[in-house]
Amino acid sequence: MLNIFNNCNSLASVIIGDSITILEEGVFSGCSALKSVTFGNGVETIGDKAFSDCKALTSVTIPNSVTRIGSGAFLVAVA
């Protein structure tokens, strides 16, 4: 499910469980209040633009299980 939490401005933190292996493209893009993300040990792929334009994001914990981080996954546009 692409963009499922796209522009969800009430999310402040996200913990991705160990059973999730792939974060789809743009899944959390534009979540302006998102400050922290912790990935479970099962995550292997972070999709393109998964967290793009999450301007408040200051804490990300990525486990060794991640083998692919997509293009612009954490890109923040500067105006």
Side-chain angles (χ1 to χ4, degrees):
M1 297 184 133
L2 302 178
N3 303 315
I4 193 165
F5 294 104
N6 182 293
N7 294 317
C8 182
N9 296 322
S10 61
L11 281 177
S13 67
V14 174
I15 298 173
I16 309 298
D18 290 341
S19 62
I20 304 296
T21 58
I22 298 172
L23 285 175
E24 298 288 345
E25 178 178 335
V27 68
F28 292 101
S29 65
C31 293
S32 61
L34 186 59
K35 292 182 179 182
S36 70
V37 178
T38 302
F39 295 95
N41 290 321
V43 176
E44 297 173 0
T45 300
I46 300 171
D48 296 346
K49 300 180 182 177
F51 295 93
S52 66
D53 289 323
C54 292
K55 296 176 181 179
L57 193 58
T58 58
S59 176
V60 178
T61 303
I62 300 175
N64 292 335
S65 60
V66 173
T67 57
R68 181 184 180 278
I69 298 176
S71 174
F74 296 95
L75 180 68
V76 175
V78 178

